[in-house]
Amino acid sequence: MNLLIIGAPGSGKGTISNNLIKDYDITHVSTGDMLRQAIAQNSPVGLRAAEYMNQGQLVPDSIIHDIIVERLSMDDIKKGFLFDGYPRTVDQAIDLSSILEQLHMKIDAVLELEIDDEILKKRITGRRLCPTCGEIYNIYSKPTKVEDICDKCGGKLITRKDDSLENLTVRLDEYHRNTQPVIEYYEKMDLVKKIDADKSADAVYDDIKSVLEGLK
């Protein structure tokens, strides 16, 4: 089974992706992971990508194209894949379609996690992390018994820098601006499966499994 998952920051994409990879025995495909692997292996395309990354520049789509072709040609992809965080633009989506066609592959479904921005803001800005034991809380949905103190180990909770409202607003604006056209691109192919992500993680995953069972 070949899948794409699309969701805004805080929509639960990471947790769902981990479950899908485990339960459906498919390969997780992340452009970030692919770039790091290509660079670590000093492959020709990895060396080209490193030149841009070392200068703090975005890696051009032409290099991402080559890395994806290289990754999708590997044996572990044959059992199926899950693209996470890609494509981010319509141009990338068109390019991915071209690559898959050349490799005689196809996408079975695009899972779109739908959730209101205001709920996401509470999920993200309300998040608190215990740096001692790693436990995660939320002041709105999972508060501690004592404010800012971990129930598990008594550690002092912290807020991650990227969990600020300002940071999240920028990320959400960018997500909606770039992602909506991508969703519309796949809707024309009748591939998009809309998932209500404003539920518990287990309930969302149950909905996804029901959708995937219908594809078989």
Side-chain angles (χ1 to χ4, degrees):
M1 186 173 291
N2 299 330
L3 305 171
L4 304 185
I5 187 167
I6 296 176
S11 61
K13 191 157 53 75
T15 300
I16 292 166
S17 294
N18 289 336
N19 288 336
L20 288 170
I21 294 159
K22 178 181 67 176
D23 292 346
Y24 290 86
D25 192 27
I26 55 180
T27 299
H28 184 240
V29 181
S30 157
T31 51
D33 290 344
M34 288 188 292
L35 283 168
R36 286 186 285 272
Q37 183 178 12
I39 291 169
Q41 293 174 343
N42 287 321
S43 69
V45 68
L47 293 173
R48 286 161 52 207
E51 291 179 8
Y52 289 90
M53 295 177 71
N54 290 339
Q55 296 175 35
Q57 299 178 12
L58 290 175
V59 178
D61 282 354
S62 58
I63 292 179
I64 298 294
H65 168 96
D66 291 344
I67 286 179
I68 289 175
V69 171
E70 186 174 85
R71 185 68 184 89
L72 293 183
S73 301
M74 296 180 181
D75 287 342
D76 63 339
I77 293 294
K78 294 177 182 177
K79 60 185 181 181
F81 61 72
L82 172 67
F83 262 92
D84 174 8
Y86 186 91
R88 295 180 183 273
T89 66
V90 172
D91 284 345
Q92 290 178 346
I94 293 171
D95 187 53
L96 179 59
S97 293
S98 176
I99 292 171
L100 293 173
E101 185 177 354
Q102 292 170 17
L103 296 174
H104 306 292
M105 298 177 176
K106 66 180 181 67
I107 293 168
D108 294 304
V110 177
L111 304 174
E112 181 194 0
L113 305 181
E114 293 189 309
I115 187 168
D116 187 84
D117 282 2
E118 293 306 312
I119 296 171
L120 289 176
K121 288 175 183 177
K122 284 190 173 182
R123 279 192 183 183
I124 299 297
T125 62
R127 188 159 53 190
R128 300 293 184 269
L129 170 69
C130 178
T132 305
C133 70
E135 192 72 12
I136 297 174
Y137 299 91
N138 189 289
I139 61 173
Y140 301 109
S141 60
K142 187 187 173 184
T144 52
K145 295 174 183 176
V146 179
E147 186 176 353
D148 290 337
I149 299 298
C150 178
D151 291 345
K152 194 172 180 181
C153 73
K156 176 72 174 176
L157 303 185
I158 62 170
T159 302
R160 298 190 310 191
K161 290 181 180 179
D162 59 352
D163 282 350
S164 69
L165 180 59
E166 293 77 13
N167 188 304
L168 176 62
T169 300
V170 171
R171 292 163 65 198
L172 284 174
D173 287 347
E174 181 181 0
Y175 171 79
H176 291 306
R177 184 172 61 253
N178 292 331
T179 307
Q180 191 56 46
V182 173
I183 292 169
E184 291 170 0
Y185 172 81
Y186 286 116
E187 281 179 334
K188 292 175 183 176
M189 302 180 187
D190 197 27
L191 289 173
V192 177
K193 308 298 180 184
K194 296 183 181 294
I195 307 295
D196 180 3
D198 185 19
K199 299 180 180 181
S200 69
D202 288 343
V204 172
Y205 191 54
D206 284 342
D207 288 348
I208 289 174
K209 286 191 292 186
S210 294
V211 166
L212 297 184
E213 283 300 316
L215 298 177
K216 293 182 180 179

